[in-house]
Amino acid sequence: MTPRLLKRPGSLWPGRKSALPLALATGMLAGTVYAGAPGQITNIFEPLSTPAESVYQSALLTLAICAVIFLIVGGLLLYTTIRFRRRAGDDSLEPPQIYGSNQIELAWTVIPILIVFVLVLVTARTTADVQNQPALPDSLNVTVVGHQWWWEIRYPELGIVTANELHVPVSNAAKRKLTFLRLESADVAHSFWVPQLAGKTDLIPNRVNVMWIEPKQVGTYLGNCAEYCGTQHARMLVRVIAHEPEDFARWAAAQQETGVEEPRVKDGRQLFFATSCINCHAIRGTVAKGRFGPDLTHLMSRDTLASGAARNTPEKLRGWMRNPQTIKDGALMPDMKLSDEELDHITAYLQTLK
Ligand code: CUA
């Protein structure tokens, strides 16, 4: 079962839809409009996971305070501009200059200090709340490794390795289910950001960062790398697919299986294992053990190719192998210079990796 895509999952929080135009504007300003397939924009104003809700609440307070300051300053500015505008018959002399008012100076020193103090406390409390969340007895542990430009996803307890699409169980009030992510990097700094699930956390070489998510609604959440990491940073997209627990168990069981060798794709399989594809890609149960590129054991179970740069269709897959640069300029996968016939065979073989 393919969970439906969460475009505007506002149903849990009716009345928040009015925030959409603001969210769109903010998203565009922040350069996050690429957070998914064309036309889909993730929304920080519609959190669907505990850490994202905490961030949202403190962001609302900051926005509210700033809005009040803006209205006061803007209002006074507007009032003075109109009230004291130049009029016919003015003597063009300077008005009397007044200096020194302890009350006013105290007011505009103390009030901002208080505001900053409140914001610091709220931010510190939110950060601590999110960071100090202990693992619950049956939390799911996943290791996410950032690569130029894709996400390696490993479930050490389940023996599953996949890429770019993180499957997790959904959490509900009766039985909370948290997913802890151990974040690492294979090369440069990246940042894992799925706006509806949590704030950003960087993936830094030679360091382990930890974050957690708790999706409360079944569906697909879109995210992207949020730290400039090279040419294809913008097409380093990530999807989190939240399932009902039984669907997640089914998905995990399917991923744990090793593929069966289908005789009809023998030529494609032989070709694949004769090329240097296997130096970078792994297929469980075979000699292909490379880790530089995504694990292909269950390639066909994924919706997208090239970290969300293309839909996973046979045509796109073939095009990707023919010349990765046409789909993702700068991609580190080389053009293997395969002939049309070879491409057909290998595409047919890869289609059997379900
Ligand atoms: Cu990875 Cu930006």
Side-chain angles (χ1 to χ4, degrees), residues 6-7 23-24 27 32-33 35-36 40-45 193-196 221-224:
L6 292 171
K7 276 185 209 157
L24 293 184
T32 59
V33 281
Q40 291 153 2
I41 298 173
T42 58
N43 190 347
I44 56 168
F45 293 97
W193 191 32
V194 182
Q196 286 180 295
Y221 300 81
L222 303 176
N224 53 325

Side-chain angles (χ1 to χ4, degrees), residues 288-340:
K289 296 205 182 333
R291 275 194 65 181
F292 194 70
D295 187 294
L296 303 179
T297 311
H298 294 284
L299 175 62
M300 286 308 126
S301 70
R302 306 204 276 263
D303 286 340
T304 59
L305 296 172
S307 207
R311 287 269 165 206
N312 188 1
T313 63
E315 300 72 47
K316 287 284 182 192
L317 181 59
R318 192 179 185 282
W320 172 247
M321 287 188 290
R322 170 186 284 282
N323 185 0
Q325 309 302 319
T326 55
I327 291 179
K328 207 165 167 177
D329 195 13
L332 299 184
M333 175 163 136
D335 174 357
M336 302 302 291
K337 309 266 187 251
L338 298 165
S339 70
D340 278 349

Side-chain angles (χ1 to χ4, degrees), residues 96-162:
Q97 303 294 300
I98 302 161
Y99 297 97
S101 161
N102 283 342
Q103 284 100 325
I104 292 177
E105 284 184 19
L106 265 177
W108 70 46
T109 308
V110 172
I111 295 173
I113 287 177
L114 288 178
I115 292 172
V116 170
F117 191 62
V118 167
L119 290 178
V120 165
L121 287 185
V122 170
T123 307
R125 200 189 65 186
T126 306
T127 310
D129 278 353
V130 173
Q131 282 185 349
N132 297 340
Q133 171 67 43
L136 300 179
D138 62 344
S139 295
L140 177 67
N141 290 298
V142 183
T143 300
V144 178
V145 186
H147 292 256
Q148 283 174 319
W149 292 276
W150 61 283
W151 309 89
E152 177 182 345
I153 296 170
R154 310 181 81 88
Y155 298 73
E157 292 143 4
L158 301 174
I160 295 171
V161 182
T162 181

Side-chain angles (χ1 to χ4, degrees), residues 147 149 189-191 225-229 233 236:
H147 292 256
W149 292 276
H190 304 271
S191 185
C225 181
E227 175 78 46
Y228 182 72
C229 54
H233 157 70
M236 186 166 166

